[in-house]
Structure formats: C-alpha cells, structure tokens
Amino acid sequence: MMNTKKIVKISLADEVANSIKQEILEHKLRPNDQLPTEAELTKVYGVGRSTLREAVKILVNSGLIRVQHGIGMFVEEKQSLKEPFAQRLQRVDNEALDEVRKLIEMKIAEKAAINRTKTDIKKMRQYLTERSIAADNNDLAACVEADIAFHLSIAAAAKNEILAELYQSLSAHLKKWFIELYTDTKIFRDTQRLHEQLLECIIQQEAKKAWNASARIIEY
C-alpha cells in the first residue's frame, strides 16, 4: 500500500510572497532596496491588490521587508529568515567546503568506530572494494562515486542524524569538485591503503585510531 501524503495547497498570496522571498535570498534584492510600487507589483505577478497586500503582510511578518507608509516597501536590513543551507552550499568556495569536510570526516570516523554495526561494516567494505577496482581501472567517475559512498556509509555508521545529513548535503558538491580537481585516479590509488586502515580501526572499534586514520587521509 502506498504511503499517502497530504497535498498542501498554497494561495496566490503565498506564491507571490515566496517569489519575492527567493529574490531576497538570491540577493537580487538587497537590504534596504526599495521594492516596486504596489501597482507595479500587481502587474508583474498578475494579481489583484488584495492578494498583493496579503503577500506583503506575509513578508513583513517573516521579517523580510518593512513598509514605510507614504514612502514604500523596503528589504529589511536584518532579515529574520536565513538562506537555506543547501542553497548556501551552491555558492560556497571549494576551500571552505574542504575545511568543513575535513572536520566532519574525522568526527564521523570516531563516532562510527563506537556505533558501527555488522551491516554498516558490510556496506563500508563494499564501497571500499568498488573504490579500489575503479581506481585500478582509472575510472575517475566511478572512483569518486565509490569514495563518496564509502564516507557516507561511515557517516551513517556514526548514528548521528545531524552529522549524516550534513555530510549528505556536502557530498553532491564534493563529487562535482573532485571530478573537476583530478584528471585521473592516482590520488585514490595512493590513498587506498589509508582508507583500508581507517576501515580496520572502525571495525576494531578503536575510536581514537579511527580519528587519527581519517586525519592521515586528510593530511595526504
């Protein structure tokens, strides 16, 4: 039997508010920028004045815009809603991404050594084998895919939903970056043994050694 989900219908006012909100989050509208007039916005979105006023009310209550009567509508200088993390990652530079990745990988290695199960170990071994085969075949795309999957399986074994979700969010960007960064699989062949040592530390439930093994991979 299929799982059923309630379909939530949104009003025209919500659609207009979401559209303006997106422009603010994408910095097309910046703090203290003045929005077009009410008459102009009704034409842009093809809605009536009452719908637009409801959308403005939603944005004001969300802390995204302010209304100065007799002057106009402005983007708030200090917005109460922040840019979604997944969207923020699309603009982050590779250096910042790598710094976060390194910190997370050491922690999930330590936690995985404590909390891993037999099922977790089986998955980690599988991905590490796939990584080795792809590296030997100089199949960069498959190698990157297996490498990321290996580290994601460690994140899952850590049994910390926040860490796992955070690493999952990073993984898509890491794949793209690694494909751009490397021209062959040499780095993956060179670090295969280090990854095998990391897995062994996790299997033996040696948390400190797992942290150190992850750090050696990062240092390499």
Side-chain angles (χ1 to χ4, degrees), residues 111-207:
K111 297 288 289 183
I114 298 170
N115 298 316
R116 94 293 183 276
T117 65
K118 290 181 179 180
T119 300
D120 294 324
I121 292 171
K122 183 178 180 180
K123 288 181 179 179
M124 286 184 275
R125 278 181 169 153
Q126 174 191 336
Y127 293 131
L128 198 54
T129 298
E130 292 175 1
R131 182 187 191 276
S132 178
I133 293 171
D136 289 340
N137 292 333
N138 201 34
D139 186 340
L140 181 60
C143 195
V144 169
E145 187 74 29
D147 180 78
I148 295 295
F150 172 69
H151 288 285
L152 280 171
S153 67
I154 296 176
K159 304 296 186 274
N160 182 310
E161 290 184 5
I162 296 175
L163 282 174
E165 186 175 344
L166 186 55
Y167 198 82
Q168 178 70 47
S169 297
L170 294 173
S171 64
H173 302 277
L174 289 173
K175 288 178 188 178
K176 181 181 177 182
W177 181 37
F178 287 169
I179 292 294
E180 294 173 350
L181 183 63
Y182 302 117
T183 57
D184 56 38
T185 61
K186 182 180 184 303
I187 186 68
F188 297 94
R189 292 194 301 273
D190 291 347
T191 58
Q192 181 67 22
R193 181 56 186 158
L194 292 175
H195 283 72
E196 291 169 356
Q197 290 172 357
L198 169 58
L199 176 56
E200 187 60 27
C201 292
I202 293 172
I203 292 172
Q204 298 302 322
Q205 293 192 299
E206 296 176 323

Side-chain angles (χ1 to χ4, degrees), residues 11-28:
S11 65
L12 277 176
D14 286 320
E15 289 185 17
V16 173
N18 287 339
S19 179
I20 296 173
K21 172 185 173 182
Q22 195 63 30
E23 293 203 17
I24 293 172
L25 293 179
E26 291 177 357
H27 305 292
K28 294 176 183 177

